[in-house]
Amino acid sequence: QVQLVESGGGLVQAGGSLRLSCAASGTIFSINDMGWYRQAPGKQRELVAAITSGGSTNYAESVKGRFTISRDNAKNTVYLQMNSLRPEDTAVYYCKLSYRRVLGGFTINSWGQGTQVTVSS
């Protein structure tokens, strides 16, 4: 089993910054995509940002220019730097990992437990 441990959430004023981290541990042969999703109360979970094994990134329109996703393959960790935060960014943020346990194995998706980000106006 792979465990994802998220950290870095909290309460911040509008315009402030936070950096989320998500570290994976367990039996991992290779990691494909890593990403961050968020879910606000009463809303569906949505993609915030994703990064491929090659470093290509994809962002939700609402966070482009403000958030930056990165990964450290040696540490099996993905980060989300969030700047210029807005009250509408308030949500529980989840990391997602797509990985293989063995060479040639099928892809498995694993989710973190979520970390609360609250932006006050």
Side-chain angles (χ1 to χ4, degrees), residues 8-103:
L11 173 65
V12 65
Q13 288 188 332
S17 298
L18 285 173
R19 188 189 193 214
L20 305 183
S21 300
C22 175
S25 61
T27 303
I28 298 173
F29 173 75
S30 65
I31 298 175
N32 300 333
D33 296 348
M34 306 178 85
W36 288 95
Y37 291 71
R38 67 187 180 187
Q39 188 166 19
K43 295 188 177 182
Q44 289 189 332
R45 190 174 297 188
E46 62 175 359
L47 173 68
V48 176
I51 184 167
T52 67
S53 57
S56 296
T57 58
N58 181 39
Y59 295 94
E61 284 296 326
S62 61
V63 306
K64 281 184 179 178
R66 300 188 298 123
F67 291 10
T68 302
I69 189 170
S70 60
R71 60 191 283 172
D72 185 332
N73 292 326
K75 296 181 179 180
N76 289 342
T77 300
V78 62
Y79 305 96
L80 186 68
Q81 178 67 44
M82 304 185 293
N83 298 329
S84 302
L85 282 160
R86 305 167 180 169
E88 54 264 39
D89 294 318
T90 295
V92 177
Y93 284 70
Y94 300 88
C95 66
K96 180 185 175 184
L97 182 74
S98 297
Y99 69 99
R100 289 187 172 88
R101 287 182 179 167
V102 297
L103 176 64

